[in-house]
Amino acid sequence: MSVVDAAVQGFQLVFSWPNILYPTAATLLAMIFAFLPGLSGVTLMALAISFTFSWDPIYIMLIFGAFTGGATFMGSITAILFNIPGSGPSAATMIDGHPMAMQGKARTAIGCSAASSALGSTIGIIILILLLPVLRRFILAFGPAEFLMLAIWGLATIATLTGRSLIKGLTAAGLGLLLSFIGLDPRTAEPRFTFGSLQLHDGLDVIPVFLGIFAIAEMMSLTVKGRGPISAGVPLSGSLREGILAPLRHYGLLIRSSITGALVGMIPAVGGTVASFLAYGQAVQSARDRSRFGYGDIRGVIAPEAAHDAKDGGSLAPTLAFGIPGSEGTAVLLAALTLHGFVPGKTMLTDQLPMAFVLIWSLFYSNWLTSILGILLARPLAGLSEIRVDRFAPLIVVFAVVGAYSTQGRFIDVIIAFVFGLAGYYLKKHGWPPVPLVTALVLGPLFEGNLHLALGLHQAGRINLFTRPVVWILLASMIVMFAWPGLRNLPSRAREFARKQA
Amino acid sequence: MTIREHSVVNLALLLAAVLFIFLASGLTRTAATLPAIVAAITMVLAAAQLALDRRKPPPVETIRLEGVPERFLTLTLAGLLVALYVAGFVIALPIFAGLFWRWRAGASWTKAAALAAILFALLYGVITVLLRVDLYPGVLLQWLSR
């Protein structure tokens, strides 16, 4: 089946009655979760996995695509109105979005954010569709050695780019890898680190870990910080139309930021936060007049919002093609797909391509729906932020407990969720990023399985690890990525040295 | 010498890595090699971070914590875990949410009871009966039903 046929089939499946109800409902849920600070689409996805075990695969694609798209934009509303980022990537929007709100241009900022999100996501999806045929050929060149390098690259990338400390990021990734070794050894079937528990022979289930680290830990964090209303209200004002038209006026910036977002999204496990800040930095660097940035420049809203939403489309590429998550959200999405029998990789882009397009069109639909609703519901949605933290915290714990248990019907998963909730809270409190830990846990089996396979094939003379071009390309990318912070400062250091010498 | 809280977290990670090395020593060489290498690297990284923090301690957080005390919250979650094991989900979870609302969120008894009733209806009526998802019954109920 050609890509166009699959795209048309996927489109028909999404935009038919009653299928369209699923992404609509999922988008609304994702909007509520993403709007409340501390909660995110990832929390919702982790909670939803356990409730959707028996569902038909098409509905899984419909709701998870919508969860991914629906959660993206809404976090920006809290960032603009209350200076609270609903998600990591929204923090970049906050830099210029909140000053705009304080100047009485909240509606303009929200309109601009909504339009940039919708247009950015559309460009991101177009890039994804254009790359799909290339990805299919690319996959054929991938074997255990390349997958091993990809796993290492994903681990290295996320540990470097997430959090302020490289050492902390790498330590967290190391711990995640160690946790992924729990269970039977893939070669000898020997139980490792199971403490004699048969329930741990299959390894740690990622869902209770997600629920612990994202839902319980986040609730603890918010409940400890305060018990009053989440935020104080800021009146909405300004011209909505001016905001909606702004990305079209700055179309060059919109396209550049969207391409940045989509490409960063394709790098395994980098995440939307990096995409948003990269796009913001690029907007500042490319502007002639930089004086307004940080004080309510509308370009400072366009760039991160477009990149953030374009990232969703891009991050689906490594997820669908290689089974490697491109962000936190796609890490949970990957877990959901695997649990429902979808095999990321060649099968996903050949036999299951129409289903992949159901996911893509569902994401597209939810991105647009969220932006339209975001504009229409800006004022009433602001009222949700008046809910007190200590009122909704126990409810999230209740859903997390039920979600953790219902993945496999084992009480040990509830214990795991609580342990990771507490661990996640203290790790986050002291600046240890949880994302490398979770990603390493997800990538661990891929890393270990392909390491043994690649080394075995190399030793048997079936492949040569040192003559495979993709391995070298990935290795070079990894080295450049690590060396980049030092290389970037080299010219300024050289100038400083020359000045001192003179 | 006082040990700061951030150092305790760091030490816990260091000890976790040491524990993995110790446990790996009891495995066959094939199964132990990779975990031992990763644990050793993690241990070195955690030790390096510990040394860095000793030399230059991270700035103390200046945000005022006005919510539920951290220790209370930790103990509440531990208590909830025990309650879940003993009484099961359908009983423990609504009671936990209701009591949390009453005592920590300052809601009236009526509102707390209403929340508990809604959650009971959701857990028993919707999840157990309608969606046919078996929730953990608790050792007490299991013992009584023998």
Side-chain angles (χ1 to χ4, degrees):
Chain A
M1 181 182 283
S2 74
V3 173
V4 177
D5 289 341
V8 171
Q9 201 178 325
F11 186 88
Q12 285 169 342
L13 282 168
V14 174
F15 295 95
S16 63
W17 186 265
N19 287 1
I20 194 73
L21 289 176
Y22 285 84
T24 307
T27 303
L28 294 174
L29 259 177
M31 284 172 77
I32 293 167
F33 264 69
F35 184 72
L36 298 170
L39 293 182
S40 65
V42 180
T43 319
L44 176 63
M45 285 163 91
L47 286 169
I49 286 175
S50 49
F51 291 103
T52 53
F53 265 139
S54 56
W55 286 27
D56 197 272
I58 188 177
Y59 302 125
I60 301 302
M61 292 297 199
L62 286 169
I63 67 159
F64 278 89
F67 282 158
T68 308
T72 309
F73 162 67
M74 290 307 288
S76 306
I77 290 202
T78 54
I80 290 167
L81 291 175
F82 315 119
N83 213 22
I84 301 169
S87 61
S90 307
T93 308
M94 207 167 70
I95 301 170
D96 276 289
H98 189 62
M100 281 184 76
M102 289 177 79
Q103 292 159 16
K105 295 177 185 170
R107 283 186 194 277
T108 312
I110 290 174
C112 175
S113 166
S116 304
S117 294
L119 294 168
S121 74
T122 308
I123 295 170
I125 286 167
I126 290 168
I127 293 170
L128 173 69
I129 292 171
L130 288 174
L131 283 176
L132 274 180
V134 188
L135 281 173
R136 289 167 69 169
R137 279 199 293 274
F138 196 56
I139 286 167
L140 295 173
F142 269 70
E146 287 76 14
F147 276 114
L148 172 66
M149 282 309 294
L150 265 178
I152 295 170
W153 192 33
L155 291 169
T157 311
I158 196 155
T160 313
L161 294 171
T162 309
R164 291 174 192 166
S165 165
L166 173 66
I167 298 178
K168 283 183 173 177
L170 288 174
T171 314
L175 188 70
L177 263 184
L178 287 172
L179 293 169
S180 78
F181 295 143
I182 293 174
L184 298 179
D185 178 73
R187 285 183 297 173
T188 62
E190 189 182 349
R192 292 186 305 193
F193 319 120
T194 56
F195 300 98
S197 166
L198 281 173
Q199 292 181 323
L200 286 175
H201 275 206
D202 288 337
L204 280 183
D205 195 319
V206 291
I207 303 308
V209 177
F210 280 146
L211 287 169
I213 284 187
F214 292 112
I216 296 177
E218 202 63 49
M219 278 308 100
M220 278 188 75
S221 185
L222 282 172
T223 313
V224 167
K225 276 180 188 163
R227 57 175 58 185
I230 297 160
S231 56
V234 174
L236 293 175
S237 57
S239 162
L240 195 62
R241 191 169 170 268
E242 188 191 330
I244 295 168
L245 292 175
L248 300 174
R249 276 198 211 103
H250 300 279
Y251 63 89
L253 177 65
L254 174 81
I255 293 169
R256 275 201 313 276
S257 304
S258 303
I259 292 171
T260 305
L263 294 179
V264 170
M266 283 179 194
I267 301 172
V270 175
T273 310
V274 177
S276 295
F277 278 94
L278 274 179
Y280 184 82
Q282 185 203 46
V284 177
Q285 280 173 347
S286 62
R288 282 182 193 160
D289 173 24
R290 301 175 187 175
S291 61
R292 293 284 305 147
F293 279 97
Y295 299 98
D297 195 313
I298 203 157
R299 292 170 296 179
V301 177
I302 297 169
E305 284 300 294
H308 183 193
D309 277 61
K311 178 269 307 172
D312 287 341
S315 67
L316 282 180
T319 311
L320 297 177
F322 307 115
I324 293 173
S327 61
E328 282 173 54
T330 45
V332 186
L333 173 70
L334 183 63
L337 294 181
T338 315
L339 284 168
H340 286 92
F342 290 103
V343 185
K346 213 183 295 178
T347 321
M348 195 71 174
L349 298 179
T350 49
D351 300 344
Q352 294 172 337
L353 192 58
M355 290 306 256
F357 268 103
V358 169
L359 187 73
I360 293 166
W361 288 123
S362 178
L363 171 69
F364 172 83
Y365 169 70
S366 73
N367 273 321
W368 276 88
L369 182 65
T370 315
S371 292
I372 293 165
L373 288 175
I375 293 167
L376 296 174
L377 301 173
R379 193 186 287 274
L381 278 173
L384 277 175
S385 63
E386 295 299 316
I387 299 173
R388 283 169 49 174
V389 168
D390 50 8
R391 292 280 168 103
F392 70 75
L395 302 177
I396 294 303
V397 172
V398 167
F399 289 120
V401 166
V402 176
Y405 180 78
S406 43
T407 50
Q408 294 198 44
R410 307 181 311 186
F411 193 75
I412 195 169
D413 288 329
V414 179
I415 299 171
I416 289 170
F418 273 74
V419 168
F420 276 90
L422 287 173
Y425 168 73
Y426 285 105
L427 287 174
K428 195 183 165 196
K429 185 184 171 188
H430 296 289
W432 295 84
V435 178
L437 188 150
V438 168
T439 309
L441 184 66
V442 172
L443 290 176
L446 179 83
F447 169 74
E448 193 184 16
N450 285 292
L451 174 75
H452 295 315
L453 204 56
L455 289 177
L457 288 169
H458 180 78
Q459 280 166 355
R462 299 290 300 275
I463 60 167
N464 187 343
L465 289 175
F466 305 106
T467 57
R468 298 180 77 86
V470 180
V471 171
W472 283 105
I473 291 168
L474 291 171
L475 189 65
S477 310
M478 215 160 69
I479 292 166
V480 168
M481 194 188 70
F482 269 108
W484 179 242
L487 290 172
R488 193 175 47 189
N489 296 330
L490 215 58
S492 59
R493 280 185 192 169
R495 276 197 298 273
E496 200 178 324
F497 180 74
R499 205 182 304 131
K500 277 181 185 170
Q501 290 294 310
Chain B
M1 188 179 77
T2 56
I3 300 175
R4 291 169 187 234
E5 196 180 274
H6 69 84
S7 298
V8 174
V9 174
N10 208 328
L11 270 172
L13 289 171
L14 186 70
L15 288 174
V18 172
L19 178 71
F20 271 97
I21 293 174
F22 174 73
L23 292 172
S25 66
L27 301 170
T28 61
R29 196 178 157 191
T30 314
T33 308
L34 188 60
I37 292 169
V38 175
I41 295 168
T42 309
M43 189 184 72
V44 170
L45 288 166
Q49 186 61 46
L50 198 63
L52 276 175
D53 286 350
R54 292 278 310 157
R55 218 172 58 186
K56 191 184 171 188
V60 179
E61 205 173 342
T62 51
I63 299 167
R64 279 182 65 196
L65 301 177
E66 297 170 332
V68 181
E70 198 175 81
R71 192 169 292 177
F72 175 84
L73 204 58
T74 308
L75 288 172
T76 303
L77 287 178
L80 173 64
L81 193 60
V82 174
L84 285 169
Y85 182 71
V86 175
F89 286 18
V90 176
I91 295 170
L93 287 173
I95 292 175
F96 157 74
L99 291 180
F100 196 96
W101 262 37
R102 176 69 191 101
W103 285 332
R104 300 311 309 188
S108 64
W109 275 113
T110 321
K111 282 182 181 172
L115 174 76
I118 290 167
L119 282 177
F120 179 80
L122 181 79
L123 293 171
Y124 185 71
V126 178
I127 296 178
T128 311
V129 178
L130 204 67
L131 297 174
R132 292 177 189 174
V133 176
D134 287 328
L135 295 175
Y136 182 68
V139 285
L140 194 66
L141 204 66
Q142 282 175 328
W143 182 73
L144 286 172
S145 62
R146 268 183 207 163

